[in-house]
Amino acid sequence: TRHATAGPAPRPRLTWANRITILRLLLTPLLVILLLKGERLWPLYIFLLAALSDILDGAVARWRNEQTLLGKFLDPVADKLLLSSSFLILALLGRTPMWVFIVVLFRDLLILIGWNVMFILTRVPRIEPRALGKATTFAQMATVIALLTFPGQPWPKFLTLPMIVVTVLSTIDYVWVGSQRLGELG
């Protein structure tokens, strides 16, 4: 008779989708450094690669059936770090107003804090992207790409107002959904 030997639990493997997300995390400090050094084209290329990795990681996860809890956590964190860092540096360089960075950062912090509160209270590691959240990520990425592509030009700033509107609406949506879920606990 064969007996199963008790050994260490198998380590979760790092999926290709998660590797792509980690690449986006690693590209963020490189983007910041290149922007601060005054590089013109490399920050744009790095940001485009990071933006494409956001599309690619989700597609790979679905295609290979590799949706993981780690991926559901890392993907939004990678987006928030990339976009908040980009808007901070662009504000410091005078390419966009500082208040734009503050709105983007406030939304991101509110979502991350809200997710942590929900996890602490429910122990359910549920992160569900919302349609307005996806629209916000797209609008923010498009705005950063325009600001990087056309520095000093006035027209990319016209993308800022619609992006801010979507960002604020997304913040309200996440707060509404979060408060509804908290109400269900009560």
Side-chain angles (χ1 to χ4, degrees):
T1 313
R2 285 187 115 165
H3 295 285
T5 58
R11 286 183 25 200
R13 61 188 176 90
L14 193 59
T15 65
W16 279 105
N18 290 344
R19 289 176 180 152
I20 294 167
T21 302
I22 290 169
L23 172 66
R24 186 163 66 257
L25 282 166
L26 296 174
L27 288 173
T28 299
L30 180 60
L31 171 71
V32 168
I33 291 166
L34 291 171
L35 279 169
L36 289 173
K37 286 182 70 178
E39 294 288 332
R40 166 112 165 76
L41 291 177
W42 279 109
L44 174 62
Y45 299 150
I46 297 295
F47 189 87
L48 286 171
L49 180 61
L52 288 174
S53 79
D54 186 32
I55 296 166
L56 186 61
D57 64 6
V60 167
R62 286 185 293 281
W63 176 62
R64 295 177 51 101
N65 196 25
E66 294 181 341
Q67 289 113 339
T68 65
L69 182 58
L70 178 63
K72 288 180 181 182
F73 174 76
L74 280 184
D75 184 60
V77 169
D79 290 344
K80 287 165 185 23
L81 281 173
L82 175 68
L83 290 164
S84 291
S85 298
S86 297
F87 280 108
L88 172 62
I89 301 306
L90 290 169
L92 291 173
L93 295 174
R95 295 191 197 175
T96 195
M98 185 59 75
W99 65 265
V100 171
F101 159 70
I102 292 168
V103 170
V104 169
L105 179 67
F106 177 77
R107 173 192 176 265
D108 290 348
L109 287 175
L110 196 62
I111 290 170
L112 289 174
I113 291 168
W115 180 82
N116 281 304
V117 167
M118 292 301 293
F119 179 74
I120 289 167
L121 294 176
T122 66
R123 288 291 180 217
V124 177
R126 185 169 63 177
I127 302 174
E128 297 173 14
R130 311 269 305 149
L132 272 171
K134 289 181 179 197
T136 298
T137 300
F138 175 80
Q140 289 178 356
M141 285 187 177
T143 302
V144 170
I145 289 168
L147 290 167
L148 290 173
T149 304
F150 304 100
Q153 297 294 318
W155 77 265
K157 294 180 182 175
F158 291 113
L159 293 175
T160 301
L161 182 59
M163 181 270 298
I164 290 296
V165 169
V166 174
T167 300
V168 169
L169 290 174
S170 171
T171 305
I172 293 167
D173 181 54
Y174 277 113
V175 168
W176 174 259
V177 169
S179 63
Q180 295 295 95
R181 290 199 182 133
L182 284 174
E184 293 168 4
L185 296 175

